[in-house]
Amino acid sequence: MNRENQKRIFVLAVALVAIAALISVTPPARSDDERASKNKEAAAQYAKAAKVFDAIMQAPDKSIPRDLLARAKAIAVFPQVIKASFVIGGEGGRGVVSRRTSVAWSDPVFFRAGGGSVGWQIGASATDFVLLFMNDEAMGGLMKDKFELGAEAGVAGGPVGREAGAGTDALMQAKVLSYSRSRGVFAGISLKGVVVRPEDDLNQAVYGRSARQLLADDKRVAAKTEAGLPAFPQAITRYAAISDTER
């Protein structure tokens, strides 16, 4: 091999090493940007959910009865759901779930919900949905890849205000209680057929864990992240604090 060929090979090898080094360095930078973007997206999502939950609970005679909140194993809020995203074929409305742990309400876990036969008020641009998961079986449904309300767990429109003491057998047997708020009207509504599934790309980006892992951790409480202290579990705690006897 002559000197000229050796020189070409050397230059090519150096170029390949430089390219490999550039490739190994560039992705983390993009990953950091994506993580920051996902954290910002997550913070906006649970802040909207907290705002909706607060607004609903600030009208005692037209809110979710406190005794139901005290018994709920987990609470989900899907804020400002657009009809086109919710009906069959849509991506589903985005929301968060916080579960009752032995010490406090948990980090908000990200989910989507869609499908089913849901009554939409004429002219409504968006609807808020609230779900109460009332027992361990309902909680277990949230740990699946998808969970169909009504098929895998009984669902019923929940009572509002002071109606809690007048529960029917169907209401008492329901594993999930559901509500909607549209155009200022808040009421119990059956979400039978609606499918709830984890939004694990966001869960992984924010926590590095899946929804199943997050919900299975009975000791995991809301912790400060890059996006700040989650507003959603704070909002729930204002109306359904974990008592000392539960700890």
Side-chain angles (χ1 to χ4, degrees):
M1 182 180 295
N2 59 40
R3 185 179 298 276
E4 187 64 27
N5 285 338
Q6 289 178 335
K7 184 176 180 180
R8 288 175 181 172
I9 292 172
F10 175 76
V11 170
L12 179 60
V14 170
L16 290 173
V17 170
I19 291 171
L22 182 62
I23 291 174
S24 66
V25 169
T26 303
R30 290 199 301 267
S31 179
D32 288 344
D33 289 343
E34 183 179 0
R35 187 177 299 110
S37 175
K38 288 291 187 182
N39 273 281
K40 185 176 180 180
E41 181 182 340
Q45 188 68 10
Y46 54 65
K48 285 193 294 184
K51 185 176 180 179
V52 166
F53 191 76
D54 259 332
I56 289 169
M57 295 305 299
Q58 283 174 5
D61 290 336
K62 299 179 181 179
S63 65
I64 301 170
R66 298 286 185 97
D67 63 329
L68 289 181
L69 294 179
R71 287 158 36 205
K73 298 290 185 178
I75 298 173
V77 175
F78 294 86
Q80 300 173 17
V81 177
I82 305 299
K83 181 178 180 180
S85 71
F86 197 84
V87 297
I88 295 173
E91 292 184 354
R94 305 179 76 184
V96 295
V97 174
S98 186
R99 68 156 293 184
R100 181 188 300 275
T101 73
S102 57
V103 290
W105 289 94
S106 73
D107 282 311
V109 183
F110 301 96
F111 278 81
R112 285 186 179 271
S117 299
V118 179
W120 296 78
Q121 290 193 25
I122 296 174
S125 59
T127 299
D128 305 316
F129 294 101
V130 180
L131 302 173
L132 305 186
F133 297 84
M134 302 305 295
N135 59 21
D136 292 333
E137 185 178 345
M139 268 292 304
L142 289 173
M143 298 186 195
K144 299 178 180 179
D145 292 336
K146 63 177 183 177
F147 178 40
E148 184 177 343
L149 303 180
E152 301 176 63
V155 60
V160 173
R162 307 190 187 283
E163 299 175 19
T168 64
D169 288 342
L171 178 62
M172 298 303 291
Q173 292 172 10
K175 298 177 177 65
V176 181
L177 299 177
S178 50
Y179 299 85
S180 74
R181 186 181 72 155
S182 184
R183 298 175 67 84
V185 178
F186 180 68
I189 180 174
S190 176
L191 296 183
K192 186 176 181 179
V194 168
V195 174
V196 179
R197 66 185 189 277
E199 190 175 358
D200 273 339
D201 59 336
L202 195 53
N203 290 318
Q204 290 286 358
V206 175
Y207 304 115
R209 303 175 76 183
S210 67
R212 182 197 302 264
Q213 291 171 318
L214 291 164
L215 292 173
D217 188 349
D218 186 57
K219 299 297 183 183
R220 187 181 182 93
V221 298
K224 191 171 184 179
T225 67
E226 293 176 31
L229 189 64
F232 185 57
Q234 290 188 78
I236 296 176
T237 301
R238 283 193 281 275
Y239 308 99
I242 306 296
S243 68
D244 292 336
T245 57
E246 295 177 87
R247 299 179 182 177

